């Protein structure tokens, strides 16, 4: 078939010019200048068409032009200038302006009528042009694909945004008044075309339509008993049903110091009852979350390891990252970051620094190699009898050694019973302020070592232990984490102006 014949036939069926190009299989820049592209494809553009094109393309300046009598029978007007305007107005009227994301993604849900009409036109073209139209490969560029080619760039341009798969997701649901009736017909058609598979209305999905509804699987004669071939033009265009926005995931990283020995890492609940009024997670999220999102409870807090409730974390602090879904803002100035750091400081229990937005793909840094990392601790330990020089010498260990550690009794309710090998890299003990009953011991260990049990041995469940090394009872009184072996996120001093 010739392009001209095809276009003449499509025009007689009330198909718009964008769709004519779709049926000429235009898949690129052809849609930028439809008139020229049609001519280039050997289609004579009549006066009538040019005028019609003016109707489709022209903008606001001609309020008195005659109302359109019909909309395209295959796209229901989705590519018309009027509909584009409605779409953009709908997006702007939503909470779109509250999001600062530079990138957007469009997710457009179209009425199933569009798929039915595509199939109807497929049958019509087979009847008209015979075997030149295949039964299992569609004669047109599918509307979904054409929407990406045509509507996406126009909407991005009008909204002054870039297309970005990780950007703000704009979900647009479209409806058309013919859909309900046509889907009812489809349910009947489905019963006739695929007997034995009586699907209810809700079970007929777009995916099913795409898969099952092709001329190779449904007969035109069956189809035509329920829906017309070719599809008929409609007097109303598609309209917007809803616009939903989902902001991008933004990741904010920093380091925290835990200054309190009475603070849990995350909300601590026992049988539904809170054991402590606050937690590191809550203090940080409370100060950082609201800047980014209205759905603060959806924020996820992750850190490179954690401390026990009674353990402080000092030094440069422990890296953490917040994953903030549906974020309205994607940036943080140093000034804003400093204000958040100061707000956390006022808790007196936690202090944070190096707060910054980090690329999403870096957020998992926090978990990588956790098992291999070294941990740096300082333990305050008590003896039952005064320390001897021999004891102090035995607790100066500069070469690494391995211990076998059974799961401590105190965590057995949440961890399985295992014996794990752990490496201790170094031990360095000294007297605290010449008090012979108290030792300060600096310990470097493999991540995952239980330090309290390393000190007292827990009745031989950890061997060797400091107690077994010196042959005397020794207990831990207080523990601080003094360093974390993770050089991330990068250091930033938010108190220095940008
Ligand atoms: Zn159309």
């Amino acid at each position: 078939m010739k392009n001209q014949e095809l276009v003449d036939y499509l025009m007689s069926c009330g198909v718009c010019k964008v769709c004519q190009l779709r049926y000429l299989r235009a898949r690129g820049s052809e849609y930028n200048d439809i008139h020229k592209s049609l001519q280039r494809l050997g289609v004579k553009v009549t006066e009538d068409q040019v005028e019609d094109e003016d109707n489709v393309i022209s903008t606001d300046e001609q309020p008195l032009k005659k109302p359109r009598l019909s909309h395209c029978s295959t796209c229901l007007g989705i590519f018309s200038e009027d509909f584009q305007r409605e779409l953009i107005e709908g997006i702007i009227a939503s909470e779109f302006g509250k999001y600062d994301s530079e990138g957007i993604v469009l997710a457009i849900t179209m009425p199933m009528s569009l798929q039915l009409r595509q199939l109807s036109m497929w049958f019509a073209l087979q009847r008209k042009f015979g075997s030149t139209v295949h039964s299992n490969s569609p004669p047109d560029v599918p509307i979904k694909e054409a929407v990406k080619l045509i509507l996406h760039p126009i909407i991005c341009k009008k909204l002054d945004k870039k297309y970005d798969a990780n950007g703000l997701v704009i979900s647009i649901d479209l409806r058309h008044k013919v859909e309900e009736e046509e889907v009812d017909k489809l349910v009947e058609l489905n019963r006739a075309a695929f007997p034995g598979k009586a699907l209810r209305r809700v079970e007929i999905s777009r995916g099913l339509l795409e898969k099952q509804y092709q001329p190779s699987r449904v007969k035109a004669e069956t189809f035509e008993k329920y829906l017309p071939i070719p599809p008929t033009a409609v007097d109303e265009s598609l309209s917007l049903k809803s616009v939903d926005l989902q902001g991008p995931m933004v990741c904010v990283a920093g380091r925290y110091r835990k200054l309190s020995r009475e603070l849990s890492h995350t909300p601590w609940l026992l049988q539904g009852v809170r054991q402590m009024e606050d937690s590191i997670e809550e203090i940080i999220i409370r100060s950082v979350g609201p800047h980014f999102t209205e759905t603060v409870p959806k924020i996820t807090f992750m850190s490179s390891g954690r401390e026990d409730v009674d353990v402080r974390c000092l030094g440069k602090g422990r890296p953490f990252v917040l994953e903030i879904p549906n974020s309205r803002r994607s940036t943080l100035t140093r000034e804003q970051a400093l204000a958040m750091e100061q707000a956390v400081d006022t808790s007196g229990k936690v202090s944070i620094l190096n707060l910054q937005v980090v690329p999403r793909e870096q957020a998992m840094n926090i978990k990588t190699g956790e098992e291999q990392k070294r941990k740096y601790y300082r333990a305050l330990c008590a003896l039952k009898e005064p320390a001897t020089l021999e004891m102090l010498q035995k607790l100066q260990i500069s070469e690494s050694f391995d211990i076998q550690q059974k799961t401590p009794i105190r965590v057995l309710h949440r961890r399985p019973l295992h014996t794990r090998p752990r490496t201790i890299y170094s031990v360095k003990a000294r007297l605290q302020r010449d008090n012979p009953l108290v030792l300060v011991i600096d310990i470097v260990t493999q991540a995952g070592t239980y330090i309290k049990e390393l000190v007292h041995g827990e009745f031989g469940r950890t061997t060797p232990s400091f107690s077994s090394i010196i042959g005397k009872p020794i207990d831990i009184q207080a523990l601080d984490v003094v360093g974390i072996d993770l050089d991330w996120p990068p250091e930033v001093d938010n108190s220095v102006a940008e």
Side-chain angles (χ1 to χ4, degrees):
M1 95 198 103
K2 286 201 177 110
N3 286 348
Q4 184 69 56
E5 284 168 4
L6 174 63
V7 167
D8 287 345
Y9 179 67
L10 291 169
M11 273 173 65
S12 74
C13 298
V15 172
C16 77
K17 269 201 297 301
V18 173
C19 290
Q20 291 167 22
L21 269 182
R22 280 201 304 117
Y23 279 91
L24 292 168
R25 301 196 186 251
R27 279 202 148 89
S29 55
E30 292 93 334
Y31 296 102
N32 297 343
D33 189 336
I34 291 159
H35 190 164
K36 266 204 192 116
S37 299
L38 284 171
Q39 280 180 329
R40 207 176 304 129
L41 288 162
V43 175
K44 215 168 80 228
V45 182
T46 62
E47 281 304 306
D48 185 35
Q49 261 183 305
V50 175
E51 195 187 313
D52 180 35
E53 184 184 355
D54 282 343
N55 266 342
V56 178
I57 304 294
S58 70
T59 45
D60 338 301
E61 282 86 32
Q62 297 156 292
L64 288 175
K65 74 185 172 209
K66 61 177 185 214
R68 288 178 62 79
L69 295 173
S70 64
H71 292 270
C72 174
S73 57
T74 54
C75 74
L76 302 175
I78 198 170
F79 298 115
S80 73
E81 184 87 1
D82 284 348
F83 181 69
Q84 283 167 24
R85 204 175 306 130
E86 185 183 340
L87 206 53
I88 286 157
E89 279 167 7
I91 294 171
I92 289 171
S94 71
E95 296 202 307
F96 174 75
K98 290 191 179 172
Y99 293 82
D100 75 354
S101 175
E102 281 179 21
I104 58 169
V105 196
L106 295 170
I108 302 182
T109 307
M110 289 170 272
M112 284 202 260
S113 288
L114 291 175
Q115 273 170 283
L116 287 172
R117 284 161 176 271
Q118 190 246 10
L119 179 58
S120 168
M121 184 53 81
W122 195 342
F123 287 133
L125 292 174
Q126 282 191 318
R127 280 184 184 171
K128 176 86 182 160
F129 299 106
S131 60
T132 51
V133 179
H134 295 287
S135 279
N136 41 24
S137 103
D140 59 335
V141 172
I143 290 200
K144 235 201 258 173
E145 196 183 325
V147 162
K148 278 191 191 141
L149 282 169
I150 303 165
L151 282 184
H152 288 195
I154 291 175
I155 292 174
C156 284
K157 197 169 166 215
K158 288 258 162 84
L159 297 174
D160 196 21
K161 300 281 183 187
K162 281 187 305 204
Y163 200 85
D164 175 4
N166 289 326
L168 167 67
V169 181
I170 306 179
S171 300
I172 296 160
D173 210 350
L174 304 181
R175 71 168 155 216
H176 195 276
K177 66 171 185 183
V178 297
E179 184 180 23
E180 186 154 332
E181 194 195 323
E182 290 184 356
V183 172
D184 282 344
K185 288 279 185 344
L186 170 63
V187 174
E188 289 174 39
L189 164 64
N190 195 71
R191 221 170 280 144
F194 301 99
K197 275 194 222 159
L199 295 176
R200 282 176 296 131
R201 196 174 193 275
V202 287
E203 290 166 333
I204 297 186
S205 65
R206 291 172 174 80
L208 178 102
L209 269 183
E210 230 158 82
K211 232 171 46 208
Q212 304 263 46
Y213 284 73
Q214 298 184 358
S216 57
R217 310 201 58 171
V218 177
K219 284 200 179 75
E221 297 70 42
T222 315
F223 184 91
E224 204 169 21
K225 279 185 202 152
Y226 303 92
L227 291 156
I229 297 175
T232 50
V234 289
D235 59 3
E236 226 175 70
S237 160
L238 283 165
S239 62
L240 272 187
K241 188 170 164 193
S242 61
V243 177
D244 285 313
L245 303 172
Q246 181 72 32
M249 165 88 79
V250 169
C251 294
V252 178
R255 286 175 171 261
Y256 75 77
R257 293 190 190 117
K258 179 172 179 284
L259 309 173
S260 167
R261 293 196 191 279
E262 289 174 0
L263 184 65
S264 61
H265 193 76
T266 49
W268 183 18
L269 300 170
L270 273 185
Q271 283 155 349
V273 181
R274 264 203 97 114
Q275 302 297 302
M276 242 161 222
E277 74 176 75
D278 222 339
S279 66
I280 298 173
E281 172 181 308
E282 288 163 288
I283 293 171
I284 295 176
I285 288 179
R286 195 154 66 219
S287 302
V288 178
H291 169 82
F292 291 95
T293 183
E294 284 187 347
T295 48
V296 171
K298 298 253 165 76
I299 297 177
T300 310
F301 172 76
M302 297 187 292
S303 61
S304 175
R306 53 161 68 198
E307 311 78 27
D308 286 337
V309 168
D310 56 353
V311 175
R312 298 185 301 180
C313 178
L314 308 172
K316 283 164 76 180
R318 188 184 292 277
F320 69 89
V321 66
L322 300 177
E323 278 186 347
I324 307 173
N326 194 13
S327 190
R328 289 195 163 166
R329 295 197 212 178
S330 47
T331 58
L332 187 63
T333 64
R334 282 202 183 163
E335 214 176 354
Q336 290 163 333
L338 182 65
M340 291 173 189
E341 291 176 357
Q342 287 167 342
V344 170
D345 284 355
T346 60
S347 71
K349 297 173 180 171
V350 184
S351 132
I352 59 171
L353 63 161
N354 299 153
L355 198 67
Q356 60 197 283
V357 169
V358 293
R360 201 164 147 181
E361 57 277 12
Q362 278 184 20
M364 286 323 287
N365 278 353
I366 208 101
K367 295 288 170 200
T368 48
E370 207 168 58
E371 282 294 293
Q372 286 76 49
K373 273 177 215 147
R374 292 178 183 220
K375 303 277 166 153
Y376 301 80
Y377 296 97
R378 176 162 292 175
L380 197 66
C381 301
L383 293 161
K384 291 223 154 47
E385 52 188 81
T388 61
L389 192 61
E390 195 194 347
M391 279 183 205
L392 281 171
Q393 278 168 349
K394 281 183 175 165
L395 292 176
Q396 309 297 324
I397 308 168
S398 51
E399 265 173 39
S400 63
F401 62 102
D402 285 351
I403 59 165
Q404 296 295 323
Q405 192 156 55
K406 274 198 183 118
T407 308
I409 293 162
R410 66 188 164 97
V411 299
L412 268 181
H413 64 283
R414 54 187 166 93
R415 298 273 158 83
L417 174 62
H418 283 307
T419 300
R420 297 177 191 79
R422 290 287 185 247
T423 302
I424 312 302
Y425 297 104
S426 72
V427 179
K428 210 188 261 176
R430 60 181 162 84
L431 288 180
Q432 192 207 30
R433 293 194 200 105
D434 301 323
N435 180 345
L437 288 176
V438 180
L439 297 181
V440 176
I441 310 180
D442 287 327
I443 314 159
V444 183
T445 71
Q446 181 187 355
T449 307
Y450 294 102
I451 303 301
K452 291 169 188 175
E453 287 69 21
L454 168 66
V455 173
H456 58 61
E458 200 184 29
F459 321 110
R461 294 169 64 86
T462 293
T463 51
S465 65
F466 293 172
S467 177
S468 75
I469 289 169
I470 61 172
K472 301 279 179 192
I474 179 169
D475 203 357
I476 191 161
Q477 289 194 319
L479 183 65
D480 290 335
V481 174
V482 290
I484 312 271
D485 196 12
L486 174 61
D487 197 16
W488 184 88
E491 283 184 30
V492 282
D493 186 350
N494 288 317
S495 64
V496 179
E498 271 162 281

